C-alpha cells in the first residue's frame, strides 16, 4: 500500500495535543497530528523515529514538537538550593538566590534535550521533505493553583514554585538551544505566536490550560495557522 499523501504531518510529544484539538475542529485540512510519546514510545524509548511512519505517510512538510518541557522539568519546582542566573534578554536576578553561570544552565538543559532534539533531525532524514520545529509555549506569569501541575510534580510542591522571571529565562535559553540546533541541521524554527504572549513575554491566560506547562486549543489554533502558512 502506498503511503498516504499529506499536506503536513505534525509529530512530537505532549505539545502536539493543542494542535491536534485545532485540527480535529477543522476537518478536511489533510493534516495528521501524532503524539509520538503515546503512539510509538509506549513501554520503550526510541533513539530514532519508527521507520514505518514513512510507509504510512508521505507529507509535503513535517512539523515537529519533540520535547519542549525540559525547561519546566528543570525549573518549575524550587531546587533544594534556590538558584538564578544572569541573562541579557531577561535582566535581573531574584534576591537571596545562588547565582550560577549561565553556561552551566545551557549545558544542563542541552544534555536533557539532546535525544528529543535529535528526533527532529531524524524526521528530516526519514521523510526527505522540509521540516520545521515548533517552539514550545512560554511560561505562565502566575500559577494560581499548583495542584493543576502534572502529577509528576505533586509530591514536590512543598518546595514551592520558581519565580516567574526565572521560569521565563529558562524558557528563553531552552528556545535558543533548539533554535541553534535547527539552524545547524537545516530545520526551520517557528517562534511562539506573538499574539499568544503578553507584553512581558508570558503566555496570556486565554491561551493557557489548567496545567501551566502547555497551551490550550486556542493556542493550538494559532500554531495551526502558522503551519498552514508554511504548508499552503
Amino acid at each position: 500500500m502506498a503511503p498516504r499523501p499529506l499536506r503536513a504531518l505534525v509529530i512530537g510529544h505532549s505539545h502536539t495535543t493543542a494542535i491536534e484539538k485545532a485540527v480535529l475542529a477543522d476537518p478536511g485540512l489533510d493534516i495528521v497530528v501524532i503524539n509520538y510519546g503515546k503512539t510509538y514510545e509506549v513501554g520503550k524509548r526510541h533513539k530514532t523515529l519508527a521507520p514505518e511512519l514513512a510507509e504510512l505517510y508521505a507529507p509535503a512538510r513535517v512539523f515537529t514538537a519533540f520535547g519542549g518541557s525540559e525547561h519546566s522539568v528543570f525549573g518549575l519546582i524550587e531546587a533544594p538550593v534556590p538558584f538564578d542566573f544572569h541573562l541579557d534578554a531577561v535582566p535581573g536576578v531574584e534576591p537571596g538566590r545562588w547565582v550560577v553561570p549561565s553556561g552551566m544552565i545551557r549545558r544542563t538543559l542541552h544534555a536533557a534535550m539532546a535525544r528529543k532534539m535529535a528526533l527532529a533531525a531524524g524526521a528530516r532524514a526519514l521523510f526527505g521533505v522540509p521540516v520545521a520545529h515548533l517552539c514550545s509555549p512560554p511560561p505562565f506569569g502566575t500559577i494560581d493553583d499548583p495542584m493543576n501541575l502534572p502529577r509528576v510534580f505533586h509530591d514536590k510542591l512543598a518546595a514551592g514554585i520558581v519565580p516567574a522571571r526565572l521560569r521565563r529565562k529558562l524558557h528563553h535559553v531552552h528556545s535558543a538551544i533548539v533554535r541553534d540546533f535547527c539552524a545547524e541541521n537545516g530545520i526551520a524554527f517557528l517562534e511562539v505566536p506573538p499574539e499568544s504572549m503578553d507584553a512581558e513575554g508570558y503566555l496570556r491566560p486565554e491561551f493557557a490550560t489548567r496545567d501551566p506547562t502547555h497551551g490550550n486549543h486556542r493556542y493550538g489554533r494559532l500554531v495551526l495557522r502558522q503551519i498552514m502558512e508554511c504548508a499552503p
Side-chain angles (χ1 to χ4, degrees):
M1 182 181 296
R4 172 186 168 187
L6 292 175
R7 178 180 184 178
L9 174 67
V10 182
I11 185 168
H13 292 114
S14 59
H15 290 289
T16 61
T17 301
I19 305 165
E20 183 178 33
K21 290 178 179 178
V23 169
L24 291 175
D26 194 356
L29 290 178
D30 200 25
I31 294 174
V32 167
V33 181
I34 297 175
N35 184 328
Y36 194 74
K38 288 185 176 181
T39 306
Y40 288 92
E41 288 190 336
V42 177
K44 59 183 177 179
R45 294 291 179 183
H46 292 276
K47 293 182 179 180
T48 59
L49 286 179
E52 59 265 31
L53 286 167
E55 300 171 6
L56 295 172
Y57 304 109
R61 290 180 180 267
V62 174
F63 297 84
T64 60
F66 294 108
S69 296
E70 290 84 2
H71 59 93
S72 292
V73 173
F74 180 54
L76 181 59
I77 303 296
E78 282 286 18
V81 178
F83 68 92
D84 204 337
F85 64 101
H86 289 286
L87 188 69
D88 290 343
V90 187
V93 294
E94 301 296 329
R97 303 175 77 86
W98 178 38
V99 178
V100 302
S102 59
M104 180 186 296
I105 299 294
R106 185 179 176 101
R107 288 191 298 273
T108 302
L109 272 176
H110 189 282
M113 297 162 61
R115 183 185 67 83
K116 291 179 180 177
M117 286 193 298
L119 291 173
R124 186 168 181 265
L126 180 63
F127 293 103
V129 300
V131 174
H133 188 81
L134 307 170
C135 187
S136 58
F140 293 22
T142 302
I143 297 177
D144 296 322
D145 184 0
M147 291 305 295
N148 287 333
L149 291 169
R151 290 182 182 178
V152 68
F153 294 109
H154 285 187
D155 63 348
K156 304 174 180 66
L157 290 177
I161 303 296
V162 166
R165 178 167 54 180
L166 177 53
R167 290 187 281 109
R168 186 155 60 97
K169 288 182 188 179
L170 292 167
H171 179 268
H172 192 281
V173 174
H174 183 284
S175 301
I177 291 170
V178 182
R179 192 181 294 112
D180 291 347
F181 176 86
C182 289
E184 293 166 1
N185 287 274
I187 298 170
F189 184 77
L190 296 187
E191 301 284 353
V192 172
E195 58 268 55
S196 70
M197 296 183 290
D198 64 20
E200 294 184 293
Y202 297 104
L203 190 66
R204 291 168 53 188
E206 59 265 39
F207 298 109
T209 60
R210 293 179 68 243
D211 154 18
T213 58
H214 297 90
N216 63 16
H217 66 285
R218 294 184 181 90
Y219 184 84
R221 284 204 295 265
L222 295 181
V223 177
L224 178 60
R225 187 174 70 190
Q226 290 179 309
I227 290 170
M228 294 174 67
E229 289 172 353
C230 294

